[in-house]
Amino acid sequence: MDPVLTSPAHSFFLFIPAALIYLLIPLLGIGTFTFIIARRSAPLIRSKPDFRWNRFFERGVYTIKYWLMQYKQPRYRLAGVLHILLFAGFLILGIRSISLVILGFYDGFVFPGLDGWIGHVYSVLKDYMATIVFVVVVVAAIRRLFFMPARYRVPEKYGKDHTAEAILVLGFIAILMASESLFEASQAAAQAQAGAAAEFIAPLSLPWFFKIALLWTPLESLQSIHLVSYFIHDVTFFLFLCFLPMGKHFHVVTSLFNVFFMKLNKGSVKPVQWGVSDEQLDDLESFGVKNFEDFTWKHILDFYSCADCGRCSDNCPANAAGRPLSPRFISIKGRDYCFKHYPLRGDFVSHEPLMEGTYEDDEIWSCTTCGACEEECPLMIEYIDKIVDLRRGMVDEGNVPQSLQKPLRALEKRGNPYGKMEKKRADWIKGDGFPEDLQVTILGKKETADTLYFVDSVTSYDDRIQEIGRATARVLFAAGEDFGILGRQEKDSGHEVRRFGEEMLFQALRDENTDAIRNSGVRRIVTADPHAFNALIKDYEDLPRVEHISQVMARAIARGKLNLKAVENPELIYTYHDPCYLGRHNNLYDTPRDVIDAIPGLRRVEMDRCRDRSFCCGGGGLMLFYEPVEETRMGKLRVEMAKAAGADVIVTACPFCMVNIEDAIKTSGLEGQMVAMDLSELIAAHLNG
Amino acid sequence: MEILVCVKRVPDSSENEIEVNPSGTDIERDDLVYSVNEWDNYAVEEAIQIRDKVGGSVTVVSIGDEDAEEVIRREMAMGADNGIHLSDESFEGSDGRGFATILKAVVDQGNYDLILTGAQADDGAGQVGGMLAALLDYPYASLVNLIDVLDGKRIKVGREIAGGHQEMNEIDLPCVLSIQTGINEPRYVGIRGIRKVASIDIPIKGAGDLGVGTETIGAAAAKVKRQDYFVPELGEGAEMLEGSTDEIVEKLIELLKAKGGFK
């Protein structure tokens, strides 16, 4: 193919060989980009360590799933599909754009491997991809400007919305697509006019339309279009590259790393400081995040990676209830702080207290650690560990709401947040209507059992929740389990104590429980409290196997050990509310549903928000004591969702869900129309015989 | 400003089920958990905030057996600079005046501008603060819910009056103030905070160290003696309304109307 038009590399600009300019532009662009990245890396280097250099195979698989395959994107259908197309375009057209840049000073450059038939296939592919990206950009711009989803809005206190930046970037992409296509189309049109051979242009693609439009354009004009479009592409490419690290589009650069280094142990909480053992904690001068530099490098990378898509806040129950927390702004404010204190030019301003001006106390205490935000984030940004670290910092400064100080003190003194006497911890086994012949064993020096039923504080002491304890015990008896409880030896699992930032108190509780459990000689632990379940699995070490009661029930039903009778009133419609610490944090979605469905004749519907999109009831443990600033209660919103699904009975599998939902049924005036029931209570009520 | 705060270790009423012992002389103390008296905790927080604003130091003093050290340490973990533990067999059985006498000796040994006590203790009679001021011949303000430091010689104190009214007074230093809860939001002290001050030495002082004559304190000198201790019998007069929520509300409105509480 003999080119009819002069190529950019052979053209001149005012007697200067353009090749020189086209060599300088990439040098300048790459130099600037490297400088920006170096400046942006500074806070990461000054931050706290974070151990992510492990389990590389797993990380590789997740990177393919979440980054390359964009697994979470379609959870929001339209935005997700648009993003997948854009992302695919970036990957495919990246090669083309880079080879175009090189063509500016190295005429006839072709990437190795792209010279044969693969090159032709690629050429067709990129023509269509450029077209798709161009159309997506137009659709995205229209959507942003005229049909903006509510989740993109920026509340007044957080400044202006980010539409301008979004449109600017869409503009960059559109210019890149158009100039690349024009560059190719002008060449093809010139070749066609001269009757010379030309590179095949995929029909109905953007360059194809341009080519037709340019077929009757004079050759001199085509030459100009060819060179000018090249110039525009070259300059835009590097402007875009250097603009990326300026805001939310930094994710284009950081996402690969952010996903690769994602948190692997869901439901766990990071140690106070990586590399510092529990025994060395007393030597630490400070706990948690007080200054920006107290965040780990991964958490700062999270700030850089936030694409401002708003999915976290859209799913955040605290945000929905009008609490002063929007996870999206945990990231955005973190990034704004970082950009301001670590500017591209000038001195870094480090070690300023973060909680003054960046985050508010109530904002940080508002989180129930339900994990809805993390479940939704396509970039695998973490929030719970940051919230916990910020709380650790506040606890260390003594900055704890009065409403939480009392239960914390009681936990320290009595091992439960209510300040009830230790000797009364097992009183629930002697409750009203509990069959006298069912004697729950209290494990000790003489009494042993195969299985420990870990009850935890709320089930031990709360009058209403004690019924869940008794129902659980009845089910365990019915299933023929050899089990016992720790009685006064048991302390609060400390699940929320840790997540509210009181690490040392948590460790004290954990150590006492660990000793008691190990001394009891049991071979398995069963609990009906998902918070205890999560704590025993994720926060404790070297314990016997831990199971949730739903797993025990499912197995007993499958083996025919639990005989269930038909539902009494087949008219009633049941729905299952996924507790956060059973579902999202431990992936137990189907087991409790299987148990419910084992009751003959029971009709069950799903709420819109179920399984990994379940909506937190309001939180457990210490969250029951916290007095949040809010417009409505999460439990109320959840009950409304159950009502919308047409449910008469909300079945849950967590004592705290029971407290919150039962409360919400009352405050919503739905008493008599709707009931809440624990899974254990449901099964206990349907035991045959 | 040099500030002395008097604190007391008491059984925490929210974390205990208080029962009277069979002989009716005291409460059952076997299974009790103790903490710093709530009002005193507010006083220490206030002292720390004043020190942080104008400088000086905060000293916490407590009378009691070896267990009292625990609350002194907790208050030092909060931010108090020094602790003094007053412990002597001769202190046992003192009445309010006896305790005030012991505390006066501590004040005399120091150079304090401001002495704070809690307005009362969970298990006390709210008398030590006033008596201490009288013994010292210092000005005294009780139930203080606001402190404003004016200069080195005077401070402004606020007091809440029934009905939500607020009174402001100027008072000369040195003085004694009894502090009401709600004056501030006391900071949280965790296990970590206490461990940080675990190795700080807290001097123990007895009657001899203070120069207090044992004839002025202890059970022998007490002019108030406890005669009896019991839980009053539940009286009549409470009427439990029964029925559905609506019915209860209706009955309550009727009752309120009948008794003139509702027009």
Side-chain angles (χ1 to χ4, degrees), chain A residues 239-521:
Chain A
L239 273 181
F240 186 37
L241 183 68
C242 293
F243 180 75
L244 292 176
M246 299 300 147
K248 68 198 184 89
H249 293 89
F250 204 1
H251 76 272
V252 175
V253 180
T254 60
S255 59
L256 175 61
F257 306 101
N258 213 59
V259 173
F260 185 78
F261 290 115
M262 67 184 260
K263 177 175 180 169
L264 296 176
N265 295 342
K266 233 171 147 189
S268 66
V269 169
K270 79 175 265 291
V272 173
Q273 191 168 320
W274 287 100
V276 176
S277 70
D278 289 353
E279 292 73 35
Q280 298 167 317
L281 283 178
D282 282 342
D283 303 333
L284 281 185
E285 208 142 278
S286 168
F287 263 38
V289 170
K290 293 174 189 170
N291 304 321
F292 185 73
E293 294 74 12
D294 293 328
F295 280 120
T296 76
W297 62 265
K298 175 58 172 61
H299 289 168
I300 296 178
L301 189 64
D302 277 350
F303 294 148
Y304 284 168
S305 300
C306 176
D308 199 19
C309 72
R311 295 177 190 208
C312 47
S313 297
D314 202 28
N315 285 276
C316 173
N319 189 44
R323 292 191 185 187
L325 169 66
S326 169
R328 172 187 172 206
F329 287 96
I330 296 286
S331 291
I332 305 259
K333 287 194 285 185
R335 190 180 60 210
D336 287 350
Y337 180 98
C338 187
F339 284 5
K340 197 172 146 208
H341 292 78
Y342 288 88
L344 294 179
R345 292 175 59 194
D347 295 335
F348 298 144
V349 188
S350 57
H351 298 286
E352 265 190 3
L354 246 193
M355 290 308 294
E356 287 160 28
T358 308
Y359 301 120
E360 292 166 34
D361 296 1
D362 284 333
E363 179 180 12
I364 302 306
W365 294 116
S366 283
C367 174
T368 66
T369 70
C370 78
C373 50
E374 296 186 358
E375 193 70 36
E376 209 62 45
C377 182
L379 289 148
M380 315 307 284
I381 291 171
E382 292 152 30
Y383 290 97
I384 295 173
D385 276 344
K386 292 192 192 104
I387 296 268
V388 170
D389 257 352
L390 284 160
R391 288 175 179 174
R392 282 173 178 158
M394 290 198 278
V395 169
D396 203 38
E397 295 285 298
N399 180 10
V400 175
Q402 299 300 313
S403 57
L404 292 176
Q405 290 196 20
K406 240 185 184 138
L408 281 169
R409 268 202 308 270
L411 279 158
E412 185 190 324
K413 297 213 158 107
R414 293 278 192 204
N416 70 78
Y418 314 100
K420 297 270 177 80
M421 314 273 271
E422 294 92 330
K423 64 180 178 195
K424 300 204 165 169
R425 201 169 175 102
D427 281 6
W428 63 271
I429 60 176
K430 291 171 289 201
D432 289 343
F434 192 58
E436 296 249 326
D437 54 319
L438 299 185
Q439 265 301 322
V440 178
T441 311
I442 298 176
L443 303 175
K445 285 197 180 103
K446 286 178 221 150
E447 304 279 357
T448 56
D450 179 65
T451 296
L452 165 68
Y453 168 29
F454 192 93
V455 189
D456 219 346
S457 302
V458 68
T459 314
S460 298
Y461 292 112
D462 184 285
D463 286 346
R464 164 67 186 91
I465 304 303
Q466 287 182 347
E467 288 172 31
I468 296 180
R470 290 190 282 271
T472 306
R474 282 186 60 189
V475 172
L476 288 170
F477 277 121
E481 299 284 353
D482 167 31
F483 77 101
I485 59 171
L486 289 173
R488 66 174 300 158
Q489 301 290 321
E490 183 189 287
K491 300 277 175 281
D492 193 277
S493 69
H495 189 259
E496 265 58 44
V497 175
R498 179 172 239 193
R499 281 153 188 79
F500 274 70
E502 218 324 6
E503 181 69 17
M504 300 319 284
L505 179 55
F506 160 74
Q507 292 192 6
L509 294 166
R510 179 196 62 190
D511 293 347
E512 285 195 58
N513 278 325
T514 304
D515 280 349
I517 293 170
R518 290 223 205 118
N519 291 338
S520 72

Side-chain angles (χ1 to χ4, degrees), chain A residues 182-222:
Chain A
L182 265 177
F183 175 73
E184 191 182 1
S186 54
Q187 167 97 309
Q191 301 289 109
Q193 282 183 21
E199 173 71 46
F200 176 74
I201 293 183
L204 298 174
S205 68
L206 196 58
W208 185 82
F209 285 114
F210 283 152
K211 180 191 157 190
I212 292 174
L214 293 173
L215 270 179
W216 291 274
T217 309
L219 213 52
E220 309 87 79
S221 306
L222 286 178

Side-chain angles (χ1 to χ4, degrees), chain A residues 281-282 284-287 396 398 400 402 405-406 408 410 412-414 419 423-424 502 504-505, chain B residues 14-17 31-35 38 42 70 74 185-192 194-196:
Chain A
L281 283 178
D282 282 342
L284 281 185
E285 208 142 278
S286 168
F287 263 38
D396 203 38
V400 175
Q402 299 300 313
Q405 290 196 20
K406 240 185 184 138
L408 281 169
E412 185 190 324
K413 297 213 158 107
R414 293 278 192 204
K423 64 180 178 195
K424 300 204 165 169
E502 218 324 6
M504 300 319 284
L505 179 55
Chain B
S14 67
E15 282 153 36
N16 290 300
E17 288 171 23
D31 216 352
L32 293 183
V33 291
Y34 289 80
S35 59
E38 195 179 357
Y42 282 86
E70 165 203 354
R74 187 170 273 270
E185 296 210 338
R187 67 199 68 192
Y188 175 74
V189 179
I191 295 176
R192 183 172 143 79
I194 295 167
R195 273 192 214 162
K196 275 187 181 170

